[in-house]
Amino acid sequence: MEADKKKLALNIVSSKVNHKGFGAGAIDLSNVSGIIIDGDEAYLDEGTLHAKSKIEKGIKFSTNKEDVPNGRKAWIVWVAVDRTEEGSYYAGMSACEMLIDTEARRGWKILAEHVNKMDGAMKRKFIFDGLSESERTALRNQLIAHNEDWWNRSDQSLKDALS
């Protein structure tokens, strides 16, 4: 009976598409993940899609940077993976800034920016504005450590942006 249930997905309704029932016109987020960059450390965190990553848990977020005067800079990098006949590769990626004050349990981020950057990654763009050299290095190392074959099959523009 469980196999008979329809898979839920985020529906995007458009006047250009003739939607034909449940799940039609849906965006599949199964090939999108988030990598957290916190200082010089980068790690995959499956909780990012629901704002429940390790770094975000227990944090009350504001859209006003002044509410987080002692916040440290951290990033969520949205990563989209695609597949060709040769195999999977890193197809799109974009970085979103956050401020986190763990002690005060306060943070800053702009949700609309995170959504737009996730959309950019899904549209196969590479956006790394604001990432420092050490953050780019941490991201590159994490991508290679996660799957070096995917890295090797990825577009040269990604490798250039993170080298």
Side-chain angles (χ1 to χ4, degrees):
M1 176 119 170
E2 192 69 31
D4 294 337
K5 287 188 178 181
K6 293 183 180 183
K7 186 176 177 183
L8 290 176
L10 177 64
N11 284 324
I12 303 298
V13 179
S14 169
S15 62
K16 298 177 185 175
V17 178
N18 183 13
H19 295 281
K20 297 183 179 176
F22 185 84
I27 292 177
D28 184 3
L29 295 175
S30 62
N31 293 331
V32 177
S33 295
I35 292 178
I36 300 290
I37 301 175
D38 189 5
D40 290 335
E41 179 187 16
Y43 57 91
L44 184 66
D45 192 321
E46 293 300 323
T48 55
L49 284 175
H50 303 287
K52 294 183 186 223
S53 65
K54 180 177 114 178
I55 199 171
E56 294 171 290
K57 282 185 182 174
I59 301 293
K60 181 176 178 171
F61 283 96
S62 168
T63 57
N64 186 357
K65 271 188 174 181
E66 288 75 36
D67 292 344
V68 193
N70 300 317
R72 71 184 187 281
K73 190 184 292 189
W75 299 84
I76 293 179
V77 180
W78 300 112
V79 179
V81 176
D82 211 343
R83 184 171 182 76
T84 64
E85 289 180 9
E86 291 82 35
S88 296
Y89 65 98
Y90 299 117
M93 220 169 286
S94 58
C96 301
E97 183 180 3
M98 300 185 294
L99 294 178
I100 304 290
D101 184 340
T102 307
E103 277 188 33
R105 304 186 86 178
R106 303 280 299 159
W108 167 84
K109 69 178 176 179
I110 305 294
L111 183 58
E113 179 187 359
H114 283 251
V115 171
N116 289 335
K117 294 283 181 85
M118 180 191 291
D119 181 62
M122 292 172 65
K123 289 179 178 172
R124 310 309 186 237
K125 296 178 183 177
F126 296 114
I127 305 167
F128 301 112
D129 301 338
L131 284 181
S132 69
E133 281 299 314
S134 64
E135 292 163 336
R136 287 172 191 252
T137 299
L139 176 58
R140 181 184 68 241
N141 292 343
Q142 173 58 37
L143 294 169
I144 293 169
H146 179 71
N147 195 314
E148 190 169 0
D149 290 335
W150 292 5
W151 173 261
N152 292 335
R153 284 189 287 269
S154 295
D155 194 84
Q156 188 62 41
S157 64
L158 169 64
K159 297 171 188 173
D160 292 344
L162 296 181
S163 54

